[in-house]
């Protein structure tokens, strides 16, 4: 009889639509077990339930509806305040992923993050949560802020009720509020000091993957750590690349760290780090890091095929190839790129990169296309002026960054001609080069000064570093050219041959067995 009622309940749910108070048995079981594992600090089981069970139930029962409301499930978890905040965080994340949140839901999600972070910052948190979940919290927090700014900037389609709500809750997703929470998590967690002490051998934060094996909590420390990545991302969205890179400085990007444990965090960190360096003309640093992460994704992506992040991994992979193509077109330093990455790059963008070297209108169109495809979704964080005629301004920040980027590309136009000639000669007189370039000598000296300026950048430590594969000095009227010689990589070649040989041996073994 009970099963008939259950069947009728399900039918009613289907026909009447979403009932926030209806809790299927599988959801009851899920929240009860998750609550118990959190109380017992069983990180392995929490991770399994968070990564697998939550996704499976979402796919099976909540493909196009939200999960049951927090009020409906609270009774099964002793009305535990912190668990309910965590449940709502997942509830909103699922809503954003599967449906289109209303303005009220966006505001409610902000309130939930405020309450959750206040507990972490000022309460007594005695939990161990998986790194994946803690990364997703910070990642989603920044994503929802970005989404809110984009949504609010589309003013033309707003109803009077929506405008009234925006005015009433003007602090929701305020840029200062977002930055303050991320900064507070960094400071309260003392993560910068922890990472400093780790260099001296006094801490084991990275060695323990951020977990606390002395019975304490990892939540504040790891949230503080990931908040540095969150700050880098927010500042990139605002177009403030210097500040973004300053925020990430305590993390040594060149080494393995907690940021490399979670694939989403690893990719987001290097994507934004590389993009910020590209915009600051630190092309060599951008190329080096894009190359490393693209090689890493190439080697490991098959292990993430069942991950909920898989599509995002592939999308960021494609965007970073586009950014690498842009970086190498502005700063031809192919010696920094591994053969595997280079062959993928040639396949995807080989033809376009040749055309981008020409610096004509078609080349500018290609720079525009690749930048627009691969750049972050820039935001205007300020609130609209509600009195004026309502206009959409969601593209303004993107247009400004694109304009600045293309202005930089245009400035490099003459430099490509200089580089072409410098590649041919080891010494050449200023007069002769001026004749070849069809300019007078004073103009050529200005162009050469510009080349020096554009091929040098200030690195994170304030040192002036060269991005050029070809440099020169002028002695009286003679230009002395210095070309950096690429180091030959024998290791790559042998590794590729070993992989081929292993493949051949596997095929031969199979043939033997079949015979």
């Amino acid at each position: 009889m009970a099963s008939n009622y259950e069947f009728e309940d399900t039918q009613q749910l289907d026909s009447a639509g979403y009932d926030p108070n209806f809790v299927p048995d599988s959801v009851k079981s899920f929240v009860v077990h998750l609550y118990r594992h959190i109380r017992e600090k069983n990180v392995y089981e929490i991770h399994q339930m968070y990564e697998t069970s939550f996704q499976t139930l979402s796919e099976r029962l909540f493909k196009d509806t939200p999960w049951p409301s927090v009020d409906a499930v609270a009774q099964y978890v002793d009305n535990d305040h912190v668990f309910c905040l965590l449940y709502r965080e997942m509830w909103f994340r699922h809503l954003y992923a599967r449906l289109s949140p209303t303005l009220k839901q966006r505001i409610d999600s902000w309130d939930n993050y405020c309450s959750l972070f206040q507990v972490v910052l000022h309460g007594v948190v005695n939990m161990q949560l998986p790194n994946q979940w803690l990364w997703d919290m910070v990642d989603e927090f920044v994503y929802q802020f970005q989404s809110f700014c984009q949504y609010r900037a589309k003013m033309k389609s707003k109803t009077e009720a929506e405008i009234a709500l925006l005015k009433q809750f003007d602090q929701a997703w305020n840029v200062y509020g977002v930055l303050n929470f991320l900064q507070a998590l960094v400071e309260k967690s003392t993560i910068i000091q922890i990472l400093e002490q780790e260099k001296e051998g006094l801490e084991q934060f990275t060695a323990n993957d951020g977990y606390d094996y002395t019975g304490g909590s990892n939540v504040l420390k790891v949230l503080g750590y990931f908040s540095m990545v969150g700050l880098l991302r927010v500042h990139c969205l605002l177009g403030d690349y210097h500040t973004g890179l300053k925020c990430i400085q305590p993390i040594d990007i060149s080494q393995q760290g907690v940021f490399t444990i979670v694939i989403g965090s690893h990719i987001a960190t290097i994507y934004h780090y590389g993009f910020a360096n590209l915009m600051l003309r630190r092309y060599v640093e951008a190329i080096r890091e894009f190359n490393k992460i693209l090689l890493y994704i190439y080697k490991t992506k098959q292990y993430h095929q069942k991950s909920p992040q898989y599509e995002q991994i592939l999308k960021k992979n494609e965007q970073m190839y586009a950014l690498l193509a842009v970086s190498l077109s502005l700063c031809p330093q192919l010696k920094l790129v591994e053969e595997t990455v280079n062959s993928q790059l040639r396949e995807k963008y080989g033809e376009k990169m040749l055309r981008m070297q020409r610096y004509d209108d078609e080349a500018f169109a290609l720079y525009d296309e690749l930048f627009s495809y691969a750049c972050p979704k820039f935001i205007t964080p300020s609130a609209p002026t509600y009195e004026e005629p309502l206009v959409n301004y969601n593209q303004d920040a993107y247009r400004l960054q694109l304009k600045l980027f293309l202005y930089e590309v245009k400035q490099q136009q003459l430099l490509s001609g200089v580089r072409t000639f410098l590649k041919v000669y080891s010494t050449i007189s200023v007069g002769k080069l001026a004749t070849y370039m069809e300019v007078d000598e004073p103009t050529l000296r200005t162009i050469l000064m510009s080349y020096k300026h554009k091929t040098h950048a200030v690195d994170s430590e304030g040192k002036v570093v060269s991005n050029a594969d070809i440099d020169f000095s002028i002695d009286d009227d003679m230009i002395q050219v210095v070309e950096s010689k690429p180091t030959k990589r024998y290791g790559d070649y042998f590794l590729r041959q070993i992989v081929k040989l292993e493949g051949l041996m596997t095929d031969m073994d199979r043939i033997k067995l079949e015979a």
Side-chain angles (χ1 to χ4, degrees):
M1 195 68 183
S3 61
N4 283 344
Y5 280 128
E6 212 169 281
F7 176 68
E8 282 168 23
D9 274 347
T10 314
Q11 274 199 322
Q12 280 178 346
L13 188 68
D14 290 341
S15 58
Y18 171 63
D19 176 3
N21 298 313
F22 175 70
V23 184
D25 287 342
S26 48
V27 173
K28 280 180 207 166
S29 174
F30 173 80
V31 294
V32 167
H33 283 92
L34 184 60
Y35 176 53
R36 194 180 80 222
H37 293 318
I38 288 174
R39 290 191 62 151
E40 292 170 357
K41 293 189 181 177
N42 189 336
V43 178
Y44 177 78
E45 288 296 341
I46 299 168
H47 186 264
Q48 291 300 104
M49 293 196 73
Y50 173 78
E51 272 285 89
T52 310
S53 311
F54 185 73
Q55 302 301 333
T56 308
L57 285 171
S58 296
E59 194 60 36
R60 213 175 71 222
L61 298 174
F62 308 108
K63 217 166 184 172
D64 45 20
T65 61
W67 272 60
S69 71
V70 69
D71 296 333
V73 301
Q75 58 182 310
Y76 305 112
V77 293
D78 303 334
N79 288 302
D80 186 275
H81 177 57
V82 177
F83 183 88
C84 287
L85 290 172
L86 290 170
Y87 177 83
R88 269 169 72 83
E89 195 270 332
M90 291 164 72
W91 189 95
F92 280 116
R93 184 141 28 98
H94 169 265
L95 180 82
Y96 269 81
R98 301 266 177 169
L99 302 151
S100 195
T102 64
L103 174 54
K104 184 73 175 73
Q105 286 167 333
R106 289 171 189 271
I107 293 164
D108 289 345
S109 184
W110 163 254
D111 288 342
N112 191 66
Y113 273 117
C114 290
S115 303
L116 182 58
F117 290 156
Q118 292 287 5
V119 167
V120 173
L121 288 165
H122 306 296
V124 180
V125 176
N126 191 27
M127 299 181 291
Q128 290 259 39
L129 291 181
N131 288 326
Q132 179 71 58
W133 194 347
L134 294 168
W135 160 251
D136 287 344
M137 266 184 220
V138 174
D139 185 48
E140 186 71 12
F141 179 64
V142 176
Y143 165 70
Q144 288 189 21
F145 164 62
Q146 173 196 307
S147 174
F148 181 84
C149 290
Q150 296 280 0
Y151 163 87
R152 183 179 56 187
K154 294 175 186 168
M155 287 304 293
K156 268 187 179 174
S157 55
K158 295 282 176 284
T159 63
E160 280 182 27
E162 284 175 313
I163 290 169
L165 263 182
L166 282 171
K167 285 181 182 174
Q168 186 185 344
F169 296 99
D170 59 343
Q171 291 307 299
W173 296 111
N174 175 293
V175 63
Y176 298 114
V178 170
L179 289 169
N180 285 343
F181 268 127
L182 293 171
Q183 193 60 47
L185 287 164
V186 173
E187 286 170 15
K188 191 77 192 276
S189 65
T190 68
I191 189 63
I192 295 174
Q193 294 87 319
I194 289 168
L195 292 175
E196 279 299 317
Q197 287 175 323
E198 188 166 53
K199 286 176 191 167
E200 295 162 26
L202 302 171
E203 276 284 352
Q204 292 282 301
F205 181 77
T206 306
N208 292 335
D209 294 347
Y211 293 110
D212 191 319
Y213 293 110
T214 61
S217 168
N218 69 330
V219 173
L220 178 58
K221 278 191 288 190
V222 177
L223 278 177
Y225 181 90
F226 285 137
S227 289
M228 290 190 281
V229 182
L231 284 165
L232 165 66
R233 188 171 155 198
V234 171
H235 286 299
C236 278
L237 293 174
L238 299 171
D240 184 356
Y241 307 110
H242 276 287
T243 308
L245 290 175
K246 208 179 257 182
C247 292
I248 201 77
Q249 225 167 3
I251 298 175
D252 186 349
I253 297 290
S254 65
Q255 301 294 320
Q256 292 284 310
V258 174
F259 79 96
T260 60
I261 294 165
V262 180
I263 182 83
S265 149
H266 194 177
I267 290 171
T269 304
I270 302 301
Y271 167 80
H272 290 95
Y273 179 82
F275 185 82
N277 276 295
L278 166 62
M279 294 301 276
L280 293 172
R281 292 211 328 271
R282 298 173 187 169
Y283 303 120
V284 169
E285 186 64 14
I287 292 164
R288 194 177 283 127
E289 291 306 324
F290 284 141
N291 168 64
K292 279 199 306 204
I293 189 76
L294 289 167
L295 189 64
Y296 175 77
I297 296 170
Y298 179 79
K299 288 176 178 172
T300 61
K301 68 180 176 190
Q302 69 268 29
Y303 304 120
H304 298 282
Q305 282 178 344
K306 290 182 180 171
S307 160
Q309 286 90 30
Y310 188 62
E311 276 182 34
Q312 192 60 19
I313 292 169
L314 293 184
K315 184 187 174 188
K316 279 280 169 273
N317 185 58
E318 292 304 313
Q319 286 180 313
M320 285 191 287
Y321 268 112
L323 292 176
L324 182 59
V326 166
S327 304
L328 285 167
S329 299
L330 291 169
C331 172
Q333 287 270 28
L334 270 172
K335 67 177 189 288
L336 298 172
V337 181
E338 300 277 344
E339 185 55 44
T340 313
V341 174
N342 192 24
S343 64
Q344 294 274 310
L345 183 68
R346 281 200 305 265
E347 205 177 291
K348 294 172 192 290
Y349 293 111
E351 192 192 322
K352 284 185 177 177
M353 284 173 74
L354 282 173
R355 278 148 58 196
M356 283 157 81
Q357 291 297 320
R358 294 207 302 259
Y359 289 93
D360 52 15
D361 286 347
E362 187 189 6
F364 285 119
L366 286 170
Y367 276 108
D368 185 330
E369 177 197 319
L370 293 192
F371 181 88
S372 301
Y373 166 67
C375 69
K377 285 195 167 71
F378 299 108
I379 53 172
T380 304
S382 52
T385 41
Y386 300 105
E387 284 69 38
E388 292 174 19
L390 299 177
V391 292
N392 290 347
Y393 62 96
N394 55 307
Q395 293 290 309
D396 287 7
Y398 151 71
R399 286 196 196 101
L400 175 62
Q401 294 300 318
L402 176 65
K403 182 180 166 188
L404 292 169
F405 170 72
L406 290 178
Y407 180 65
E408 181 63 43
V409 171
K410 215 163 193 106
Q411 287 184 325
Q412 305 254 3
Q413 186 169 19
L414 271 172
L415 306 186
S416 69
V418 174
R419 188 176 168 278
T420 306
F421 286 112
L422 293 180
K423 269 185 90 71
V424 180
Y425 294 93
S426 55
T427 56
I428 184 171
S429 70
V430 172
K432 199 172 181 184
L433 184 56
T435 308
Y436 286 153
M437 291 194 65
E438 299 174 359
V439 292
D440 56 30
E441 283 193 32
T443 305
L444 176 65
R445 286 178 184 274
T446 307
I447 292 169
L448 290 171
M449 284 291 286
S450 180
Y451 180 89
K452 278 279 187 190
H453 170 63
K454 288 297 181 187
T455 56
H456 285 74
V458 180
D459 71 7
S460 56
E461 289 165 11
K463 293 180 196 158
V464 176
V465 291
S466 172
N467 283 318
D469 57 339
I470 293 173
D471 208 351
F472 65 89
S473 58
I474 301 177
D475 187 8
D476 289 333
D477 278 344
M478 288 304 290
I479 301 168
Q480 310 284 342
V481 181
V482 184
E483 184 169 1
S484 61
K485 291 275 183 283
T487 50
K488 288 188 176 177
R489 283 210 184 95
Y490 299 108
D492 268 10
Y493 174 79
F494 284 113
L495 281 170
R496 283 200 309 280
Q497 300 310 315
I498 289 165
V499 170
K500 275 186 188 171
L501 179 62
E502 283 177 349
L504 278 169
M505 286 166 73
T506 309
D507 290 345
M508 285 166 72
D509 285 344
R510 200 178 292 124
I511 292 163
K512 274 185 212 164
L513 286 168
E514 284 169 3

